[in-house]
Amino acid sequence: MNSLIFLDECGSTNDYIREHLAELPDGAAVTARLQTAGRGRRGHTWSANDGMLPLSILFKNPIERDTLTARAGLAVCEALESVCILPEVSIKWPNDVIIAQKKVCGILCECSIMGDTACVICGIGVNVSQNEEFFRENNLPNGGSLLTITGTAPEREVLFRAIAERVKQRVETPFADCLGDFKARVLNIGRTVRIIGENRERTAVAVDIAPNGFLVCEDENGRFEVGSGEVSVRGENGYL
Ligand code: BTN
């Protein structure tokens, strides 16, 4: 395994990697006991206490950058299952990890260029041991932790190592070889979804995942594909 870095506290593990890009090797993974200024997708903040496991992994010139987030989401599902006894672990496209209808993990991949090296910083936040009160107080009705769902929380270091290793394996694997496993976990397929873009919202049925990782949807005008950068996908009547 490449270098694993354990910090006591940091603003954001993604920022830590960005600030140390030159000296960190490909595959370096960092975690912190406490992350004080975590960021989520689409400009959101990522609330945390020390019950959340933040980690980021650095990839230098990874293959198929556009599907890296999807492959990381799949890897997190597999790593969680290798460490905990869980009910079904699904993906809300493109990469929220859902267990028992609750979001247990979010992923934020960010790109950074260093000379002629294209770097991807894959940031993963796993809700490990927050209690119900944490989600209530932070107004996160769709969030849950491994503790709230299963009654027990795994060791953070064991989880960190398992996730870092599995994500690295999946990121080295072409998406074509991950597609079947990814598709099998995507809970949106077969459901009506609201596709919320900058200036427009449309409702359609999600029917498939395309070979490029896009969500294939169908409405009265036919089939179309949606990329994760452009939109947020919600269920017909709420988050799922
Ligand atoms: C989401 O919006 O669902 C993505 C959340 C990603 C949070 C993780 S925690 C570790 C890494 N550092 C950050 O600042 N964000 C990501």
Side-chain angles (χ1 to χ4, degrees):
M1 188 71 208
N2 279 297
S3 65
L4 298 177
I5 298 162
F6 298 83
L7 305 173
D8 190 43
E9 185 175 320
C10 72
S12 152
T13 52
N14 272 25
D15 293 344
Y16 178 89
I17 291 208
R18 184 177 306 97
E19 286 154 15
H20 296 82
L21 268 191
E23 68 256 38
L24 291 173
D26 177 42
V30 58
T31 186
R33 187 187 55 78
L34 189 63
Q35 173 178 264
T36 53
R39 287 178 284 105
R41 290 181 71 222
R42 301 163 67 80
H44 293 127
T45 55
W46 181 256
S47 302
N49 60 13
D50 61 6
M52 195 272 296
L53 173 72
L55 69 125
S56 300
I57 311 169
L58 171 60
F59 295 104
K60 294 187 170 175
N61 288 328
I63 59 162
E64 301 179 11
R65 241 183 308 159
D66 292 348
T67 60
L68 193 147
T69 321
R71 287 178 285 143
L74 171 61
V76 170
C77 295
E78 294 167 336
L80 291 177
E81 285 171 341
S82 75
V83 169
C84 315
I85 296 169
L86 295 169
E88 194 174 16
V89 183
S90 307
I91 293 171
K92 174 180 164 291
W93 185 90
N95 58 14
D96 286 351
V97 175
I98 308 293
I99 308 175
Q101 321 242 50
K102 297 290 182 189
K103 175 168 171 173
V104 168
C105 168
I107 300 177
L108 173 69
C109 286
E110 297 177 308
C111 294
S112 216
I113 303 291
M114 186 183 58
D116 55 7
T117 307
C119 300
V120 177
I121 301 166
C122 178
I124 298 167
V126 186
N127 295 326
V128 179
S129 57
Q130 302 100 320
N131 57 21
E132 300 277 7
E133 201 181 346
F134 170 85
F135 295 102
R136 242 192 337 268
E137 280 175 357
N138 286 280
N139 194 24
L140 298 167
N142 303 312
S145 70
L146 295 171
L147 178 70
T148 60
I149 292 164
T150 68
T152 51
E155 276 233 4
R156 294 162 64 86
E157 186 177 333
V158 171
L159 198 54
F160 170 53
R161 287 178 186 276
I163 292 174
E165 191 173 331
R166 192 65 190 148
V167 170
K168 213 171 154 262
Q169 286 166 357
R170 281 296 190 181
V171 168
E172 285 167 0
T173 307
F175 187 61
D177 296 330
C178 302
L179 183 56
D181 292 338
F182 180 72
K183 213 187 278 193
R185 293 194 187 257
V186 175
L187 57 75
N188 315 80
I189 294 176
R191 295 191 186 176
T192 299
V193 291
R194 286 165 55 220
I195 303 150
I196 306 160
E198 285 260 302
N199 308 311
R200 126 173 231 231
E201 181 177 325
R202 39 201 312 208
T203 298
V205 178
V207 291
D208 203 357
I209 303 294
N212 61 2
F214 281 29
L215 187 67
V216 183
C217 297
E218 196 166 80
D219 66 10
E220 61 282 4
N221 299 313
R223 286 194 171 201
F224 60 96
E225 292 181 5
V226 177
S228 61
E230 310 151 26
V231 296
S232 157
V233 168
R234 291 276 178 273
E236 196 175 6
N237 300 310
Y239 173 62
L240 295 178

